[in-house]
Amino acid sequence: MKVSYQWLSEYVDLSGTTPQELAEKLTRSGIEVDAVESRNAGVSGVVIGYVKERSKHPDADRLNVCVVDAGQGEDLQIVCGAANVDKGQKVLVALIGAKLPGGLNIKRSKLRGVESQGMICSAKELGLNDKLLAKDQQEGIMVLPADAEIGMDAVSYLGLDDYVLELGLTPNRSDCLSMLGVAYEVAAILGKEVVFPQIELTENGGNNPIQVKIEATNESYQYHGRHFTNAKIATSPQWMKNRLMAAGIRPINNVVDVTNYVLLEYGQPLHAFDATQVADRSIVVRLANEGEKLVTLDDQERTLDEQTLLIADQTKGLAIAGVMGGANSEITGETSEIILEAAWFTPKTVRRTARMLGMRTEGCVRWEKGVDQARVQEAGERAAALIQQLSGATVSKGISSAVVSEATPAVVSVTLAKINQHLGTDMSASDVSPIFERLQFPYEVAGDKWTVTVPTRRGDITLPEDLVEEVARLYGYDNIPTSLPSGSTTQGQLTKEQQLRRTIRHHLIGTGMNEAISYALVHPDRVEAVAGLHQEKVNPVALMMPMSEDHSVLRTSLIPSLLETVAYNKNRQNHDVAIFELGRVFLTKEETLTQLPEERLYVAGALTGQLLTQNWMGAKQPVDFFQTKGIVESLFARLGIQAAEYKAVQDIAGMHPGRTAEVWVGEKRLGYLGQVHPGTEKAYDLSETYVFQFDVTTLIDVSAEVGHYNQLPKSPAVTRDLALVVDRSVAAGALEATIREAAGELLESVTLFDVYMGERIAQDKKSMAFALVFRHAERTLQDEEIQQVTTAVIEALKNNTGAELRM
């Protein structure tokens, strides 16, 4: 609900309360205000002017030279490029020094040699939403009605000196879907009175010829019809347009705008029919026939069912009740005789129809949440008075009505003890009674018990607890004392292992791997197919009465189960597999079990085929050791594990002796990764497959509880590349360690980016190229410093590893 601050001030005295302060008070009382927006997007110095003369620019076909009276004492010469500018128009003129949205300042200028003393503006240039304007105002300059006062400030004329409060209403507060409903709420908060609009209606015509009948008595309780003749359809006055646009509704014509205006004011949806299109001026409220069709105002043909409530005459449907009118009775520029509908339909009927037809209008929203049944006729009379005022219509005598039942106010009782018990307060009767008076809830008091007659506008209040809530809102939540709960409480949280397990699982899934869950029971021959992480000898735990030999012992490693899963996929033509498992293994040194085995949580993965699928840019790239290592390194980075060292090993059962590495952090062995031994791959009927396996408990020990972050550097980095020739037996890790030690604190990073072994180098040698990045945290490094550090690095490499610079 969008609420105009200026409009609201007509019902409640808001003097001394700014829009922002009002928003704060509403929010604190339970009506949340999502936003407070000024309608002025940055307009100043714009006034209303009158185009006295218009002539073509002597040197530009598309420009016009206009003489404009802007109420400044002397006429202004303004060059305008709008095609629709013409003599005799009232327009918006930005004077010299005016400011427009987007930071545009109007200055004295010349256009093709002709001086221009301002600017004639369009709606867009003033920041108006052109979707809320009439079609003839969406293109070119904005032409104003003839009654616009020359020289008047455009901000005031267009209602841009207003603020709009956007309410985020909960479904139970349908009363605040109207300006009067909000006025009741604001008056209660501020302790002021509500001023109701004056209804001045003169019945100056003949008897009302409308006949009204309600056949669907379970779906409609009231229907009132007013009859008008001699109405003149025209545009609405600017004040009404301003208020409709502030609420996000596009003005159409004076009659339709009145129905929308009263919809916003009272929260009562209304509808106007062209009476000449209503057969015999007879209105019937009935259920539609199955398959009956009606073309609605949006020019869409709607197929209705037998549960759709229809407003009809004796021959045809006229409107879908509470949803949208029919095109066959639309108010047009030729309409002079009008029937105004003010009715009450059951919310569930309108809601069902709107959902069935896929339609949702401002009226539907209010019907679904609840409309005050006691004010239906009053809202109709307010609209009738405005139609008479704006269109000059003649109003027929009397209201044609059909009433099935009338609203009955709810009566709810509450005691002072209940209020204080629920709120934890110590209020007295003198604190509570004024609150009901401010809410305008009639009540009777007997001792410390209030019997409240709840107004029909507040259909959300049906229980004593609802009254307690009202008292709390108006008393002020900040005035309710706070108290801590008594008793012992325990804060729930995940253990570090639980957090780490989630992190590992989510990260590996993020790298493109799929999680597998396999049986903890395996075949005895599979137990030692690939070694676990235990370095001491362990014995598999055998079941006494297994259901099958394939599931007869508890696993000591996750790898065999993963290899079986890979083989299962390969046999079904799925050759690209990347899976992992987070599960427990069972370890014991006893040959005959006398105590429970040790359960350890491992994480393991297996990859074969392609990790990245083939694309148009290149050939297939099968999984290799380095891709597997990259996944492991990214996992370590996610866990905050630093300084992991990879050591080549030859003796892990089931693993390739030349393509396997153990991973250590200090003195702790985390696990291993590498290629499965060709013999093992053959046993499982696999192609080249890579695996990793780590002890999660050890990962927990070396992981960082808090991530490590570095401040963004302020000084530039310097890069130096070193191509080194070393013996083939020298490991890259040894070279990197030497570089880091020799370079000292200026070295930010070192990266191996090339390895070469070929014709241009000795057979027992290899070339390894490293990129060294140097940076000082506080200043820019000098060439001499970089050269000194680089020389020290080269000397250290030569002394420690026998490396020589490759020339």
Side-chain angles (χ1 to χ4, degrees):
M1 175 69 181
K2 293 183 177 181
V3 176
S4 164
Y5 178 82
Q6 286 189 355
W7 191 0
L8 183 64
S9 65
E10 290 193 0
Y11 309 119
V12 183
D13 181 11
L14 299 179
S15 58
T17 305
T18 66
Q20 292 75 16
E21 291 171 345
L22 179 60
E24 177 70 16
K25 292 178 183 293
L26 280 167
T27 300
R28 286 183 174 274
S29 69
I31 303 295
E32 184 176 358
V33 179
D34 292 336
V36 180
E37 297 179 355
S38 172
R39 290 201 66 209
N40 191 339
V43 177
S44 65
V46 180
V47 299
I48 297 174
Y50 174 73
V51 181
K52 300 174 68 175
E53 299 291 341
R54 184 201 68 139
S55 60
K56 285 293 183 181
H57 192 289
D59 295 325
D61 293 339
R62 296 187 178 182
L63 296 180
N64 300 290
V65 180
C66 302
V67 177
V68 180
D69 177 8
Q72 304 302 302
E74 59 182 28
D75 294 342
L76 304 177
Q77 178 177 280
I78 299 177
V79 179
C80 178
N84 65 327
V85 66
D86 204 356
K87 177 181 178 180
Q89 292 176 339
K90 296 285 183 70
V91 294
L92 298 169
V93 179
L95 304 174
I96 302 298
K99 296 182 179 180
L100 298 180
L104 179 62
N105 297 324
I106 304 302
K107 300 178 181 179
R108 189 183 301 271
S109 62
K110 286 188 176 182
L111 296 177
R112 294 288 183 93
V114 176
E115 183 180 22
S116 182
Q117 299 172 311
M119 174 181 174
I120 301 178
C121 302
S122 67
K124 284 186 178 180
E125 288 165 335
L126 295 185
L128 297 178
N129 185 352
D130 59 353
K131 293 182 180 179
L132 299 179
L133 298 172
K135 291 183 179 180
D136 59 347
Q137 293 183 327
Q138 294 178 6
E139 301 292 337
I141 62 169
M142 187 174 183
V143 180
L144 305 179
D147 60 357
E149 181 182 346
I150 296 175
M152 182 178 181
D153 184 10
V155 170
S156 176
Y157 179 79
L158 297 174
L160 300 182
D161 52 347
D162 191 10
Y163 286 84
V164 175
L165 283 68
E166 187 167 349
L167 308 186
L169 298 175
T170 51
N172 64 311
R173 292 307 304 269
S174 62
D175 59 301
C176 288
L177 285 171
S178 66
M179 295 298 299
L180 284 175
V182 176
Y184 275 113
E185 184 70 17
V186 171
I189 295 171
L190 301 180
K192 297 185 178 182
E193 296 294 325
V194 178
V195 179
F196 299 96
Q198 296 297 313
I199 300 176
E200 298 178 358
L201 179 65
T202 302
E203 295 181 336
N204 52 358
N207 293 328
N208 191 337
I210 303 171
Q211 300 295 320
V212 176
K213 180 180 181 182
I214 298 178
E215 293 182 354
T217 55
N218 292 327
E219 290 76 22
S220 177
Y221 293 172
Q222 294 185 47
Y223 196 98
H224 308 280
R226 269 288 186 183
H227 182 256
F228 305 82
T229 57
N230 304 319
K232 293 182 176 60
I233 306 302
T235 60
S236 299
Q238 192 63 40
W239 64 266
M240 179 172 284
K241 290 181 180 179
N242 293 342
R243 292 179 177 181
L244 291 176
M245 288 190 289
I249 296 177
R250 180 170 66 89
I252 298 174
N253 58 54
N254 50 2
V255 173
V256 176
D257 291 350
V258 164
T259 61
N260 286 329
Y261 184 86
V262 176
L263 167 76
L264 295 172
E265 187 175 46
Y266 278 80
Q268 171 66 49
L270 304 169
H271 189 67
F273 301 94
D274 186 330
T276 61
Q277 305 302 314
V278 180
D280 299 329
R281 310 301 186 267
S282 178
I283 298 290
V284 179
V285 183
R286 62 175 175 83
L287 293 174
N289 300 316
E290 186 68 33
E292 188 171 354
K293 298 182 184 298
L294 177 68
V295 177
T296 50
L297 290 173
D298 56 1
D299 294 325
Q300 299 293 317
E301 185 178 71
R302 311 287 180 175
T303 301
L304 314 179
D305 62 17
E306 57 187 7
Q307 297 184 55
T308 301
L309 189 61
L310 194 65
I311 310 301
D313 58 20
Q314 299 296 335
T315 61
K316 61 184 180 300
L318 301 172
I320 302 173
V323 180
M324 187 176 287
N328 57 8
S329 57
E330 179 182 6
I331 299 294
T332 67
E334 306 302 320
T335 300
S336 62
E337 184 181 356
I338 300 168
I339 294 176
L340 177 66
E341 165 195 289
W344 196 89
F345 312 119
T346 58
K348 66 178 182 180
T349 300
V350 178
R351 180 170 58 249
R352 182 202 167 276
T353 300
R355 182 175 299 178
M356 187 267 292
L357 296 176
M359 304 170 68
R360 190 164 180 82
T361 62
E362 288 289 333
C364 290
V365 171
R366 287 160 176 80
W367 282 121
E368 291 175 3
K369 291 178 170 58
V371 173
D372 185 1
Q373 189 177 348
R375 277 193 164 162
V376 174
Q377 187 170 338
E378 180 184 339
E381 292 298 275
R382 168 65 167 163
L386 288 171
I387 290 175
Q388 185 179 46
Q389 174 187 336
L390 300 184
S391 70
T394 300
V395 182
S396 299
K397 295 177 182 177
I399 304 173
S400 297
S401 300
V403 178
V404 175
S405 65
E406 296 182 351
T408 302
V411 178
V412 184
S413 298
V414 67
T415 63
L416 181 63
K418 187 177 185 68
I419 293 172
N420 285 326
Q421 179 185 4
H422 276 63
L423 301 181
T425 55
D426 190 23
M427 285 189 281
S428 64
S430 60
D431 296 321
V432 176
S433 292
I435 292 176
F436 291 140
E437 292 169 4
R438 287 160 57 189
L439 289 166
Q440 299 192 32
F441 287 3
Y443 66 87
E444 295 179 358
V445 182
D448 67 345
K449 180 180 180 181
W450 287 267
T451 300
V452 178
T453 302
V454 182
T456 53
R457 60 184 168 83
R458 291 299 303 273
D460 58 310
I461 298 177
T462 58
L463 302 171
E465 287 74 15
D466 297 328
L467 291 178
V468 173
E469 181 184 0
E470 294 300 300
V471 171
R473 292 193 312 108
L474 274 296
Y475 182 69
Y477 292 125
D478 292 341
N479 297 324
I480 298 175
T482 58
S483 60
L484 294 175
S486 59
S488 59
T489 59
T490 302
Q491 181 180 1
Q493 63 181 5
L494 298 176
T495 65
K496 186 175 181 180
E497 178 181 321
Q498 290 172 328
Q499 293 174 348
L500 194 71
R501 287 171 61 181
R502 291 189 180 187
T503 302
I504 292 172
R505 179 177 287 110
H506 293 163
H507 181 82
L508 292 179
I509 291 173
T511 64
M513 303 184 74
N514 296 303
E515 184 175 8
I517 300 176
S518 59
Y519 289 114
L521 296 169
V522 297
H523 193 284
D525 294 343
R526 300 299 195 192
V527 171
E528 297 300 335
V530 180
L533 300 179
H534 46 276
Q535 294 178 300
E536 67 282 358
K537 178 176 175 55
V538 296
N539 294 308
V541 178
L543 297 186
M544 293 181 63
M545 295 182 292
M547 296 184 65
S548 68
E549 190 176 12
D550 288 337
H551 302 92
S552 59
V553 298
L554 290 171
R555 62 189 177 188
T556 59
S557 171
L558 299 180
I559 300 297
S561 298
L562 291 179
L563 295 181
E564 288 184 350
T565 303
V566 173
Y568 182 90
N569 279 269
K570 177 178 177 294
N571 293 337
R572 286 155 180 80
Q573 304 304 312
N574 183 15
H575 298 283
D576 302 326
V577 181
I579 58 174
F580 75 92
E581 181 169 3
L582 191 62
R584 297 192 178 276
V585 298
F586 306 87
L587 310 175
T588 180
K589 297 179 182 178
E590 297 180 315
E591 293 186 3
T592 302
L593 203 63
T594 61
Q595 57 185 4
L596 292 176
E598 178 186 6
E599 296 186 27
R600 298 189 69 85
L601 183 64
Y602 284 5
V603 59
L607 303 96
T608 188
Q610 289 180 263
L611 186 60
L612 300 175
T613 57
Q614 184 179 3
N615 57 63
W616 65 272
M617 296 181 64
K620 294 182 178 180
Q621 183 179 357
V623 174
D624 57 17
F625 177 88
F626 299 104
Q627 286 186 352
T628 307
K629 182 171 177 281
I631 292 175
V632 171
E633 288 180 332
S634 69
L635 176 61
F636 288 174
R638 179 67 181 82
L639 300 178
I641 298 174
Q642 300 179 353
E645 184 179 359
Y646 297 83
K647 299 179 180 179
V649 291
Q650 307 288 328
D651 56 352
I652 296 181
M655 299 297 295
H656 196 300
R659 300 182 181 178
T660 302
E662 288 184 337
V663 186
W664 294 74
V665 172
E667 299 297 322
K668 293 189 175 182
R669 178 176 178 264
L670 306 184
Y672 63 84
L673 73 152
Q675 182 184 343
V676 178
H677 194 284
T680 305
E681 290 175 346
K682 184 176 180 180
Y684 282 89
D685 192 22
L686 298 176
S687 54
E688 194 170 293
T689 302
Y690 291 84
V691 298
F692 62 81
Q693 185 166 224
F694 297 99
D695 188 330
V696 174
T697 303
T698 311
L699 294 181
I700 293 174
D701 294 339
V702 298
S703 64
E705 292 189 10
V706 180
H708 179 74
Y709 300 91
N710 293 322
Q711 185 178 0
L712 291 174
K714 299 179 181 179
S715 55
V718 179
T719 303
R720 291 289 185 269
D721 293 345
L722 297 179
L724 307 171
V725 179
V726 297
D727 293 338
R728 292 197 177 187
S729 60
V730 177
L735 295 174
E736 181 179 335
T738 301
I739 292 172
R740 290 186 181 278
E741 182 178 357
E745 61 181 10
L746 294 182
L747 181 67
E748 182 176 271
S749 67
V750 55
T751 306
L752 174 67
F753 67 86
D754 183 59
V755 178
Y756 173 73
M757 292 178 287
E759 298 177 355
R760 300 181 182 180
I761 200 168
Q763 291 186 355
D764 60 342
K765 301 288 186 179
K766 61 182 177 181
S767 171
M768 307 183 76
F770 291 87
L772 283 62
V773 179
F774 299 97
R775 193 195 305 268
H776 193 284
E778 302 295 335
R779 58 181 175 82
T780 301
L781 292 173
Q782 303 296 320
D783 288 341
E784 293 79 5
E785 293 177 274
I786 302 301
Q787 186 59 43
Q788 184 179 355
V789 174
T790 304
T791 302
V793 169
I794 294 172
E795 287 296 323
L797 288 168
K798 181 177 181 180
N799 296 333
N800 294 346
T801 64
E804 297 287 345
L805 279 179
R806 182 181 176 189
M807 305 305 291

